[in-house]
Amino acid sequence: MKMFCCLTPTADRRKAHDNSPVNNESNKPKDVEIVLEKHKDVDNGSVKSKVAVDSHSTKERFMESFDFYPGLPPGVKGVDTSTDGRPHLKTIYFKMGDTEEQVEFWSDANSEEVKECFRSATESDPSDILKLYNTSNSLMNISPRILANSPDTRYTLKVVGAKQCLSSDGLTPEINETLLSIEKRLLNLEKKIVLNSGDTPPAVWDMRAKVENLREKLESVEHMSWLGLYKDIDGKSTKAKNSNGLVQCCGTKKTKEKYQYSQQVFEKFEKLRSVELTDATRELLKKPTFDIWQWEDSEMLYLLQQMFVDLKLVERLYIELPMLQAFLFQVHLSYNYTPYHNFRHCFCVTQMMYGLIWLCNLQEKLDDIEMLILLVSAICHDLDHPGYNNAYQVNAKTELALRYNDISPLENHHAAVAFEILSCDASNVIKHLTPENHKRFRSGMIKCILATDMARHNEIVTAFKGVIGCYDNDNADHRMLMMMIFLKVSDISNEARPMDVSEPWVECLLQEFFMQSDAEKLEGLPVAPFMDREKVTKPSAQVGFIKFVLIPLYEALASMFQEIREPILTPVVKALEYYSDMNEKMEQDKEAVKLKQVGRRISSTIDPKVEPKRVSVSRKTSEVQPPSDDISPSS
Ligand SMILES: Nc1nc2c(ncn2[C@@H]2O[C@@H]3COP(=O)(O)O[C@H]3[C@H]2O)c(=O)[nH]1
């Protein structure tokens, strides 16, 4: 018998954001146009106008700086390519250990060629990681733009060998040594405590687990591979059954830790089978205001399952529940622990898609197969995202970029992983589709997932705008384009949510951006300014994105579906105001700090007390003499 109870949120996973203007009436925008106009009207050259100017060049610059500007391959954009004239020969002096070296290259060489120079000079392996430090011991980007130096200002080069510095358990000797010493100290401590009190206290168990956890992480977290720490613990990609009888058929490598965690989540999810959602929660789930931070992974799996049930897809497409659950387990397993592109992002995008389906009454426009395409595409759209974008994949010449010839490597991968999961009997939710519908489903899914590559943003939005005036719901191409837009809107819909739900996402995104740009600096790859911790701030990241990407996209959809204006577009406009104000304030603070520094410098030069003492050098003795007060005019 089924229990009837309310599945209530178990935890709030967002960080505290005291300054989020939730329910702040003064921030309430009236209407998109009015808000934008208001900014234009006050455009009088003051700081305020900086954030509101909607000039073409600002937009172009923003779009170019992002890696989805059309026409150029990803990764090329956003990189400072300015040169100061003709190519010239650059000499860089450096030392490695006690050895002094120098390399020469032309200033128009590319980063790979420059790195190759360093590699040749140091006889290092192509898989080794080169780290170049300047005289203040700051890490430098190895690129043709390295500042030329002299033998007196040698840089320091360190080679992190991916192979030679690993010990048998995959860790660098230093890290291994540190871990061993911590473990040893813990053991001694434990012995002492056991002698004194006769038992191992929980704190020691806890500490032990943490050290073990750290060791496992260092050995198994794939994105640490550039540090040479990654060890393939569970590299089997063969089909194997886990203890739940679920087939592990996803070809992508998952760590032991990840697999175990997904299993635990699944076990909890299985227990929720006896739970039924209250009508109130089911209704909330249909709203864009749904708070996605309050749910555990197992609960999110349950809510995803509920979406298939409430859209009647389970019933109409003969989807077997155990199969749907196995599919969702594989999906959970395939998302990584990245700061942004993780399972919660998958849930967030799918929940927004689900909300839009109800808000725009899409069931009237689309058939069951198309509804299934929308829901499954949203769930699968970022499967196995590594946390490094397409630009990185292409520039670092990763396996994915090579496999997909630099063409949307990530999106191609997400779609491929989705069909790999669906190719397993146990998780094949499309098993009962007719061959014709199977073909439609596959083609639609691929189109939708590939449309989430932001390098194609302008192309897709322009095509959509072209059909708005003549939209024909009987035209399959028109419907397809609309579905692609719905997935794109859902994919970048954080700002359409209440501020306390959306704001933590910006931090997650920046964390992932910075993780990538730090790695790019280490590896001497091009760094996009919008990802660079030295160039981007939270409000600056949002203002451009909302103005030039979100609002035009949402406006396009709103011209076809007026019903999204209030619940979706209004929060976005409100967010633009919020981040514009924050940006303005940060600029003002920066100016104030600068002025203070200048003021301090001026006062220190006119203050006789701090005037630097003059020194003179005696010609005879070459000794430094104190300044003489009776300086006689030169004869
Ligand atoms: N600055 C900014 N970028 C975003 C936001 N939401 C999504 N994006 C970007 O848009 C991209 C959409 O595709 P991805 O998920 O690959 O990566 C996403 C981010 O790079 C946002 O709120 N702010």
Side-chain angles (χ1 to χ4, degrees), residues 13 16 56-57 59 142 176 199 201 258 284 311 375 448 450 455 465 471 483 543 584 597 630:
R13 281 150 189 90
H56 182 67
S57 62
K59 177 177 175 176
I142 303 183
N176 207 26
D199 206 0
K258 176 76 175 88
L284 272 181
L311 287 173
L375 204 59
C448 279
L450 293 190
K465 281 181 181 163
Y471 181 81
M483 288 159 68
V543 170
E584 186 185 330
Q597 282 170 347
D630 54 25

Side-chain angles (χ1 to χ4, degrees), residues 566-582:
E566 184 57 33
I568 305 285
L569 199 50
T570 302
V572 171
V573 175
K574 199 166 156 179
L576 177 59
E577 279 193 352
Y578 174 67
Y579 286 114
S580 296
D581 289 349
M582 196 191 283

Side-chain angles (χ1 to χ4, degrees), residues 250 252 254 327 330-331 334-336 338 341-342 345-346 376-390 393 400 403-404 407-422 442 445-446 448-454 487 491 512:
C250 179
T252 54
K254 289 294 158 208
F327 168 75
Q330 292 293 345
V331 164
S334 299
Y335 275 92
N336 295 315
T338 49
H341 289 100
N342 49 38
H345 170 66
C346 147
V376 179
S377 300
I379 291 174
C380 297
H381 83 284
D382 269 336
L383 280 173
D384 200 34
H385 197 297
Y388 296 82
N389 71 7
N390 279 335
Q393 305 297 327
L400 285 184
R403 184 180 307 154
Y404 295 110
I407 302 165
S408 306
L410 286 177
E411 291 71 21
N412 271 303
H413 181 59
H414 307 321
V417 174
F419 282 99
E420 207 174 338
I421 294 175
L422 290 169
R442 178 167 162 81
M445 270 268 289
I446 294 173
C448 279
I449 295 182
L450 293 190
T452 60
D453 181 354
M454 291 299 279
L487 184 58
D491 188 23
E512 196 167 299

Side-chain angles (χ1 to χ4, degrees), residues 99-353:
T99 321
E100 294 190 334
E101 298 276 0
Q102 69 189 66
V103 289
E104 280 183 350
F105 53 85
W106 287 94
S107 58
D108 62 349
N110 62 35
S111 293
E112 212 29 66
E113 288 163 346
V114 175
K115 273 202 284 181
E116 203 40 56
C117 265
F118 279 93
R119 285 212 174 92
S120 306
T122 55
E123 294 175 10
S124 52
D125 209 71
S127 60
D128 290 338
I129 293 147
L130 306 181
K131 291 176 168 185
L132 190 66
Y133 297 87
N134 64 16
T135 47
S136 10
N137 221 15
S138 298
L139 195 59
M140 300 172 75
N141 194 1
I142 303 183
S143 78
R145 284 185 288 143
I146 308 177
L147 218 57
N149 61 351
S150 70
D152 298 334
T153 55
R154 272 177 201 280
Y155 300 143
T156 305
L157 187 79
K158 286 185 185 159
V159 178
V160 181
K163 290 176 202 150
Q164 67 268 34
C165 40
L166 294 185
S167 66
S168 59
D169 50 4
L171 302 180
T172 57
E174 301 88 54
I175 294 175
N176 207 26
E177 222 166 79
T178 316
L179 276 174
L180 282 174
S181 104
I182 296 175
E183 281 167 344
K184 212 168 143 191
R185 276 163 51 199
L186 256 179
L187 206 68
N188 282 337
L189 186 67
E190 194 183 344
K191 263 188 210 158
K192 270 187 206 161
I193 296 172
V194 172
L195 275 179
N196 288 341
S197 64
D199 206 0
T200 306
V204 175
W205 286 116
D206 193 37
M207 188 76 88
R208 220 193 230 179
K210 276 185 186 147
V211 174
E212 192 48 43
N213 201 0
L214 177 66
R215 174 182 283 283
E216 185 140 325
K217 250 189 208 146
L218 288 170
E219 289 177 354
S220 60
V221 176
E222 221 163 334
H223 70 250
M224 285 184 172
S225 58
W226 52 269
L227 283 176
L229 300 179
Y230 178 65
K231 184 169 83 165
D232 181 10
I233 290 178
D234 201 7
K236 300 167 228 103
S237 62
T238 46
K239 298 184 181 187
K241 278 200 172 182
N242 68 14
S243 59
N244 293 314
L246 293 169
V247 178
Q248 190 196 352
C249 59
C250 179
T252 54
K253 220 167 22 190
K254 289 294 158 208
T255 61
K256 193 169 71 187
E257 189 195 29
K258 176 76 175 88
Y259 195 75
Q260 282 168 350
Y261 177 64
S262 283
Q263 260 184 322
Q264 282 167 14
V265 168
F266 192 76
E267 279 157 21
K268 278 195 186 173
F269 170 43
E270 278 185 316
K271 285 188 190 136
L272 291 174
R273 278 182 197 168
S274 54
V275 169
E276 203 162 292
L277 278 187
T278 59
D279 287 345
T281 312
R282 279 170 62 186
E283 284 314 304
L284 272 181
L285 187 61
K286 294 177 185 169
K287 304 278 182 247
T289 45
F290 189 76
D291 189 344
I292 54 82
W293 291 105
Q294 299 189 24
W295 308 86
E296 275 187 10
D297 286 12
S298 54
E299 293 161 344
M300 289 192 277
L301 286 175
Y302 183 89
L303 294 171
L304 289 174
Q305 175 182 303
Q306 191 65 38
M307 294 177 195
F308 284 85
V309 174
D310 281 353
L311 287 173
K312 302 215 172 353
L313 296 175
V314 166
E315 187 185 315
R316 292 193 194 144
L317 297 176
Y318 308 105
I319 299 174
E320 295 160 30
L321 271 189
M323 216 171 252
L324 177 57
Q325 286 155 359
F327 168 75
L328 293 174
F329 167 80
Q330 292 293 345
V331 164
H332 184 272
L333 182 64
S334 299
Y335 275 92
N336 295 315
Y337 297 137
T338 49
Y340 182 86
H341 289 100
N342 49 38
F343 179 65
R344 195 173 297 275
H345 170 66
C346 147
F347 176 74
C348 201
V349 171
T350 310
Q351 193 274 327
M352 181 56 81
M353 173 66 87

Side-chain angles (χ1 to χ4, degrees), residues 62 66-68 340-341 345 349 381-382 385 389-390 410-411 414 452-454 488 491-495 502 505-506 509-510 512-513 530-531 536 538 540-546 549-550 579:
F62 176 80
F66 224 100
D67 83 311
F68 51 74
Y340 182 86
H341 289 100
H345 170 66
V349 171
H381 83 284
D382 269 336
H385 197 297
N389 71 7
N390 279 335
L410 286 177
E411 291 71 21
H414 307 321
T452 60
D453 181 354
M454 291 299 279
K488 281 179 62 54
D491 188 23
I492 52 176
S493 62
N494 295 331
E495 293 301 345
S502 64
W505 277 121
V506 185
L509 185 66
L510 288 182
E512 196 167 299
F513 281 175
F530 74 90
M531 289 191 153
V536 75
K538 195 160 102 173
S540 73
Q542 291 314 82
V543 170
F545 189 78
I546 296 173
V549 180
L550 284 188
Y579 286 114

